[in-house]
Each structure stands twice: as C-alpha cells, then as structure tokens.
Amino acid sequence: MTFTEVPVVDVSGPVDEVAAALGRAAREVGFMYVSGHGLEPRLFDDLLAVTREFFDLPHEEKMRVWIGRSSDHRGYVPEGEEGFAGGAVDRKEAYDLGLDLPADDPDFLAGNPMLGPNQWPDLPGFREAVTAYYTAVMGFGWELFAAFALALGEQPEVFARHLTKPPSQLRLIHYPFDVDAEDRIGIGAHTDYECFTLLRPTSPGLEVLNGAGEWIDVPPRGDAFVVNIGDMLELWTNGEFVATTHRVRKVKQERYAFPLFFSVDYDTPVAPLARFVTPGRPARAGLVAGEHLFAQTAQSFAYLRDRLASGELVLPEGSLAPFSFGQRAS
C-alpha cells in the first residue's frame, strides 16, 4: 500500500487489540515499530558497549574469529565479505551469531550449515552481554510470533511447534563514519529471509519501499524495535502478510544496527496455510525453512560463494535466487 510512515504498535495492551494492530501493520505495510516490550534497557546498553569494543579491535584481532573459519556461519564479517554477486560493496562490518550449541550437537556434527557453536572473541564481558541480549529478544520473539498467529486467526502453536532449535541469527553491524558517503543505496534493496526481524538501530539510514515506489525513512524511535515481515511469513500467509523491500541508505555518521532474524527449525516445511488459499489466490510453492535461509545466505557471502564454486558446498535443490520475495522499486 502507499503508506507514508511506519505504524507504531504498543504490545503492552490487551492481547486481542495487540494482535489486531500487528495484523494490520503486517498486511498493509510489512513494517512496524513495536513498543511496550518491557525489555530492560541495560540489555541494549551492555550490548552496544561490548559491540563498540569489539569493532574497535585491530583488524587482525577481529579476523581471529572470521566467519570463514566456521562451518555454521558464525563470526566476524569484514567489509566486502557480504554482497550480491556483481553488486555494490557496503561500508560495513558485522559479527554474526545464533543459538550457541555445543560442539557435540548432532546437527552440527552432521554438517548442518546454520546450526552449531558460536565463535567468541577473547574480549571480557562480550559473550555474556551478547548472550543476555540474544536470549531476551528471542523470548520476546516467541511472544510476538504467538500474537502474529492470533492475528491470522490461528492458534499460537501453529508456529510455536517449530521452535525447538531455530537457526535465528543476531547480527552486530557497524557502519563506520564515512566523510565521503553519498546519499545513495549500499548493498541494495532486499527482503529478509526468515519469518520476521527485530531490529534496534542507533542512527537513521533504514528505508522502506511503499506501493508507489517511494522510499520511506524509518529512523530509530526510543527503545522500540523495528519489526518487519520476512520471506517465510509472506509464504506461510500466501501473501497476506508482506515481506516489504527495504535498504540502508549510505550516511556519513557512524551507525550500529542489531537485527535479530527470527526463524523456525531448519527442517520446517513452509507452505501457505489453508485459510489463505482461494481460487483467486492459488497456493505458492512451498520451501524448507533452513534450506531457504542457507541458500540465500550462501549467495550473499563471498566465502560461501567460493565454497559453492569449488564444489565444497551445493545449494539445496530448488533454491530461489535472491530477491524472490517482496516488491520491486519502479
């Protein structure tokens, strides 16, 4: 739809009212601010503090936990590592992590490309602060997922039963001060691969594409999360909920962003729910959640593209190309 601003949903109100408001935002915009979540401010403050310390480390120290040293996509992402083949390189670095599984976890030992232990830098307090934030936001994500289910007329367990060991990723992203930055896009417009994203940014830069092909600013708003629908929820609802295209505009100021990409278990089949399949809206083709996540990730990171080229990795059969969801800029 031709929205001109992103709606705010206060989730501290009555459950039915919250679910209805979330549903409207997911259908009409695909993005929303979510306030009233009740998470302790110190969780974000501590996360930001240790993130600053990590990215202030010398490059060679950060490369000790380079993501290319992992087999489960965990660790430091240097500038230029992420990008679409032939696309622009963003001025940013990141650190990716997920559910911190033990080294003897059976899925990790079996070679699952998105499940396993995290790489942790040798930085006092880093692991503790990051884990505390991840745990708290994942807990809130469970509540939000249940509310989305209610908004769809479903029971909460329709999604909750797929949350035993999800490869949900938290990214710590650093955009350095760049005096030469031009007001243009960086890595490019995209949708997120998972069910939904919970983002806390420190500065403006995020833009969302509306139905008229206009880019709408989504600046930080207090301690509210920016929540957006991802590919899997768009598919589960057969397009009822929208995975809205978005991008990060290049800005001169230093910027940190913390998206938690909320997913479901790796082997979860994702296909349109029956209530959203009609003669006028035929069911879209389904996919496997983890395979979609891995395929999209593998096409976006240089070290994984190298492994694909060498034959060390193979994309799952039927993998979609990037930009297979969401709308396009006119």
Side-chain angles (χ1 to χ4, degrees):
M1 297 183 65
T2 310
F3 59 89
T4 57
E5 61 183 8
V6 171
V8 180
V9 179
D10 183 347
V11 295
S12 65
V15 172
D16 291 346
E17 294 180 11
V18 168
L22 289 171
R24 283 193 300 273
R27 289 179 174 93
E28 298 174 4
V29 180
F31 265 78
M32 65 206 79
Y33 292 103
V34 173
S35 63
H37 48 73
L39 270 65
E40 296 183 25
R42 67 169 183 80
L43 290 167
F44 182 75
D45 294 342
D46 292 348
L47 175 71
L48 181 58
V50 297
T51 298
R52 290 183 190 276
E53 290 180 29
F54 174 73
F55 287 123
D56 282 344
L57 291 173
H59 180 71
E60 58 270 19
E61 287 295 316
K62 291 180 284 191
M63 288 298 288
R64 292 179 185 272
V65 290
W66 175 49
I67 199 164
R69 298 180 184 275
S70 75
S71 62
D72 57 345
H73 196 64
R74 312 292 176 91
Y76 174 61
V77 182
E79 184 176 320
E81 182 72 55
E82 184 186 14
F84 298 109
V89 172
D90 230 359
R91 283 296 319 275
K92 76 170 186 228
E93 55 184 342
Y95 174 88
D96 288 8
L97 66 129
L99 181 65
D100 196 19
L101 297 171
D104 62 355
D105 177 82
D107 286 306
F108 178 62
L109 293 177
N112 188 294
M114 305 302 293
L115 291 170
N118 293 323
Q119 291 196 83
W120 294 108
D122 185 14
L123 188 66
F126 182 89
R127 180 173 185 168
E128 292 78 9
V130 171
T131 300
Y133 182 84
Y134 181 85
T135 301
V137 180
M138 280 296 294
F140 177 57
W142 272 71
E143 298 175 12
L144 201 58
F145 218 179
F148 279 133
L150 292 175
L152 292 166
E154 299 283 345
Q155 294 299 312
E157 59 268 20
V158 72
F159 301 129
R161 64 172 176 260
H162 302 299
L163 295 173
T164 61
K165 193 196 289 186
S168 300
Q169 299 174 311
L170 173 63
R171 302 202 78 193
L172 321 181
I173 307 175
H174 175 225
Y175 297 85
F177 173 75
D178 185 1
V179 69
D180 297 320
E182 301 174 9
D183 188 13
R184 59 183 176 85
I185 63 170
I187 209 169
H190 63 283
T191 60
D192 292 339
Y193 315 141
E194 298 84 353
C195 296
F196 57 90
T197 302
L198 299 109
L199 169 71
R200 283 289 304 273
T202 61
S203 304
L206 178 63
E207 295 181 330
V208 178
L209 185 67
N210 72 11
E214 301 165 332
W215 290 100
I216 307 301
D217 283 322
V218 189
R221 187 184 178 103
D223 69 348
F225 285 102
V226 178
V227 174
N228 62 279
I229 302 302
D231 296 351
M232 295 178 198
L233 256 184
E234 179 177 305
L235 179 56
W236 243 323
T237 64
N238 209 26
E240 182 80 5
F241 282 5
V242 183
T244 303
T245 302
H246 54 283
R247 70 186 187 187
V248 175
R249 187 182 72 253
K250 287 183 178 293
V251 295
K252 296 182 185 295
Q253 69 208 92
E254 186 175 39
R255 181 177 185 268
Y256 294 88
F258 303 93
L260 192 150
F261 303 104
F262 199 95
S263 191
V264 287
D265 293 339
Y266 192 94
D267 294 326
T268 302
V270 179
L273 295 165
R275 70 173 64 242
F276 300 110
V277 178
T278 66
R281 187 191 284 183
R284 301 184 185 183
L287 51 78
V288 176
E291 291 181 356
H292 176 66
L293 173 58
F294 168 65
Q296 297 297 297
T297 302
Q299 295 175 84
S300 304
F301 284 79
Y303 87 96
L304 288 172
R305 289 200 298 267
D306 289 344
R307 293 179 185 177
L308 290 172
S310 70
E312 181 183 350
L313 289 177
V314 178
L315 290 179
E317 185 177 352
S319 295
L320 299 174
F323 309 122
S324 296
F325 289 81
Q327 77 282 39
R328 301 290 178 266
S330 56

